[in-house]
């Protein structure tokens, strides 16, 4: 898959860095094959802003599957092309590992690596794969992963002002192949093996960014764009900064008849990681709604509601630092019924490797994309 002719190159990135115009930020959650839900929502956004997303947005972030989509957007691909990639490559990504490997992970890494190398390389392949510092990236890009070697979240960006992106550093992050960082961000534990990445003279093992607090990277993206240490320091304010957060579908795994004896070691090993990911995603969303002027988002819970600005929640005792939109789908039985999809399976059957439900995931995304309306982007219309 080539991006020849679609990218704006270095001049495009320079335009994103230039001060003045309001800045637009896009964050995409992780979720494996459920990224098809996000892709349908992104298609609706592309229609409403009437521009390629890589042209419209100044800074794009993604975790895990969201890192794949965000990287494609940063390279100037249309949402239709990204969807085609997922429909074609999605089933090929989940190839069972050899039996003796399944003690460690379910799926082999080679098929996913091959798909990413092909996607994130020039069509002729003569110059080798794109790197994080490639001039073919037409927008700022932030990828979230977990460094298992150092036991810490890593958020790597092509921000040329970043401390670890200085070209005179031996460990300059901009030299790392893009496909490898995306593969690292999507290396979900128990699903895929970790990715070994050489950074300067050191090698690190990386796993999925979903096992950090940033499977939803929206608030992290805001911090990277505005805080002094990251050296962008974009101006804040509801009229100066728009953050659009796109999810891959969520649903709490409620168990009304759960008993104390059910909470075995096996049960906890299976359910605690996903519970922590779900809680962290909600926390990121809550932070965005508190510090931002929330223009759209489903209720978070029965106590705080949706915190929409239009609902009169204008204060919260804090200044509003950006405008905020949150789009996702409720995958619970009630949520799917509300989308007019009573015949589709609920969250329990829609795991991140549910390739047999790809058509269902597309249908959910198409129904959820009705949330997106042009008025949400008022004040942030065309590309700056």
């Amino acid at each position: 898959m080539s991006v020849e002719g679609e990218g704006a190159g270095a001049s495009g990135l320079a335009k994103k860095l230039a001060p003045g115009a309001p800045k637009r930020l896009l964050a995409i959650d992780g979720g494996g094959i459920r990224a098809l839900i996000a892709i349908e929502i992104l298609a609706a956004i592309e229609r409403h802003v009437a521009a390629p997303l890589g042209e419209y947005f100044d800074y794009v972030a993604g975790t895990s599957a969201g890192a794949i989509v965000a990287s494609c957007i940063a390279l100037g691909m249309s949402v239709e092309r990204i969807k085609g990639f997922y429909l074609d490559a999605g089933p090929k990504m989940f190839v069972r590992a050899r039996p003796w490997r399944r003690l460690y992970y379910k799926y082999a890494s080679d098929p996913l690596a091959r798909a990413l190398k092909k996607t994130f390389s020039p069509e002729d392949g003569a110059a080798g794969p794109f790197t994080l510092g490639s001039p073919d990236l037409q927008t700022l890009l932030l990828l979230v992963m977990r460094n298992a070697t150092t036991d810490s979240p890593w958020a790597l960006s092509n921000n040329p002002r970043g401390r670890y992106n200085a070209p005179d550093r031996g460990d300059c992050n901009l030299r790392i192949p893009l496909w490898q960082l995306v593969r690292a961000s999507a290396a979900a534990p128990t699903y895929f093996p970790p990715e070994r990445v050489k950074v300067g003279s050191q090698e690190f093992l990386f796993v999925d960014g979903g096992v950090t607090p940033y499977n939803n990277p929206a608030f992290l993206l805001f911090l990277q764009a505005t805080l002094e240490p990251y050296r962008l320091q974009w101006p804040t304010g509801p009229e100066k900064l728009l953050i659009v957060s796109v999810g891959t579908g969520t649903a709490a795994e409620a168990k009304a008849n759960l008993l104390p004896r059910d909470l075995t070691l096996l049960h906890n090993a299976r359910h605690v990681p996903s519970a922590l990911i779900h809680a962290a995603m909600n926390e990121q969303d809550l932070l965005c709604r508190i510090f931002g002027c929330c223009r759209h988002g489903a209720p978070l819970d029965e106590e705080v509601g949706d915190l929409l600005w239009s609902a009169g929640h204008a204060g919260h005792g804090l200044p509003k630092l950006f405008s905020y939109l949150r789009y996702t789908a409720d995958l619970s039985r009630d949520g799917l019924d509300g989308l007019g999809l009573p015949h589709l399976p609920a969250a329990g059957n829609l795991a991140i490797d549910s390739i047999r439900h790809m058509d269902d995931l597309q249908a959910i995304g198409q129904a959820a994309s009705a949330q997106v309306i042009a008025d949400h982007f008022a004040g942030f219309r065309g590309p700056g």
Side-chain angles (χ1 to χ4, degrees):
M1 177 183 287
S2 169
V3 295
E4 186 177 356
E6 294 188 10
S11 61
L13 185 57
K15 185 178 180 182
K16 307 296 188 183
L17 290 164
K23 299 297 185 182
R24 308 170 184 87
L25 286 66
L26 172 65
I28 307 167
D29 292 6
I33 201 64
R34 293 205 322 241
L36 286 166
I37 295 174
I39 288 169
E40 294 294 345
I41 294 171
L42 290 167
I45 295 173
E46 189 177 64
R47 289 193 297 271
H48 282 293
V49 302
L53 298 185
E55 181 181 344
Y56 180 80
F57 288 101
D58 301 288
Y59 207 159
V60 182
T63 302
S64 192
I68 299 175
V69 178
S71 297
C72 290
I73 289 171
L75 284 167
M77 297 182 194
S78 68
V79 177
E80 188 64 28
R81 292 189 67 185
I82 299 170
K83 184 193 302 186
F85 162 74
Y86 247 87
L87 292 176
D88 176 63
K92 301 173 186 175
M93 294 178 186
F94 296 97
V95 177
R96 289 280 181 178
R98 296 182 183 276
W100 59 88
R101 295 286 188 186
R102 293 179 201 169
L103 291 172
Y104 303 95
Y105 45 82
K106 292 172 65 175
Y107 301 109
S109 62
D110 289 350
L112 175 57
R114 283 195 298 269
L116 295 176
K117 284 180 184 178
K118 182 179 179 181
T119 301
F120 299 129
S121 295
E123 189 172 52
D124 57 14
F130 298 128
T131 63
L132 185 61
S134 172
D136 293 86
L137 291 167
Q138 64 174 255
T139 187
L140 287 167
L141 174 66
L142 180 69
L143 305 175
V144 182
M145 60 210 73
R146 177 176 175 270
N147 188 327
T149 304
T150 63
D151 191 25
S152 58
W154 275 34
L156 301 187
S157 151
N158 65 333
N159 171 13
R161 301 171 188 167
R163 176 179 178 181
Y164 291 96
N165 290 342
D168 58 346
R169 293 185 64 102
D171 59 352
C172 175
N173 291 331
L174 297 182
R175 301 190 189 105
I176 304 172
L178 181 60
W179 75 264
Q180 197 170 29
L181 293 178
V182 173
R183 160 74 179 89
S185 181
T190 75
Y191 287 91
F192 294 103
E195 181 70 17
R196 189 183 299 274
V197 180
K198 189 171 184 180
V199 184
S201 61
Q202 291 183 280
E203 282 193 337
F204 301 99
L205 286 180
F206 287 94
V207 296
D208 198 297
V211 290
T212 73
Y214 312 117
N215 195 58
N216 171 355
F219 197 70
L220 176 65
L221 178 60
F222 163 70
L223 298 177
Q224 294 262 340
T226 59
L227 291 186
E228 186 274 334
Y230 302 112
R231 303 177 183 178
L232 284 176
Q233 294 179 268
W234 286 347
T236 59
E239 73 290 346
K240 297 177 181 178
L241 205 62
L242 172 67
I243 299 178
V244 181
S245 176
V246 178
T248 58
T250 60
E253 294 187 49
K255 301 174 184 65
N257 299 317
L258 191 67
L259 299 173
R261 66 172 180 266
D262 296 328
L263 300 179
T264 62
L265 288 174
L266 182 60
H267 178 279
N268 288 333
R270 181 180 177 185
H271 294 284
V272 167
S274 61
L276 292 175
I277 291 171
H278 181 72
M281 288 173 61
N282 283 346
E283 181 74 4
Q284 293 289 304
D285 192 6
L286 175 62
L287 288 170
C288 285
R289 298 188 197 212
I290 291 173
F291 288 94
C293 172
C294 185
R295 297 183 175 191
H296 177 79
L300 290 170
D301 59 45
E302 293 183 357
E303 184 169 12
V304 302
D306 54 29
L307 298 177
L308 291 181
W309 182 268
S310 60
H313 301 290
H316 314 299
L318 297 170
K320 295 302 180 182
L321 302 176
F322 51 89
S323 290
Y324 177 64
L325 297 165
R326 172 65 174 173
Y327 302 114
T328 190
D330 180 354
L331 301 181
S332 69
R333 181 71 272 150
D334 288 344
L336 292 177
D337 290 349
L339 289 174
L341 302 170
H343 58 290
L344 294 189
N349 295 312
L350 297 173
I352 66 171
D353 58 346
S354 297
I355 55 175
R356 66 186 183 281
H357 290 301
M358 291 174 64
D359 288 345
D360 295 337
L361 294 169
Q362 281 190 273
I364 293 168
Q366 289 163 5
S369 69
Q371 302 169 67
V372 183
I373 62 173
D375 286 349
H376 291 168
F377 300 88
F380 298 91
R381 289 297 186 191

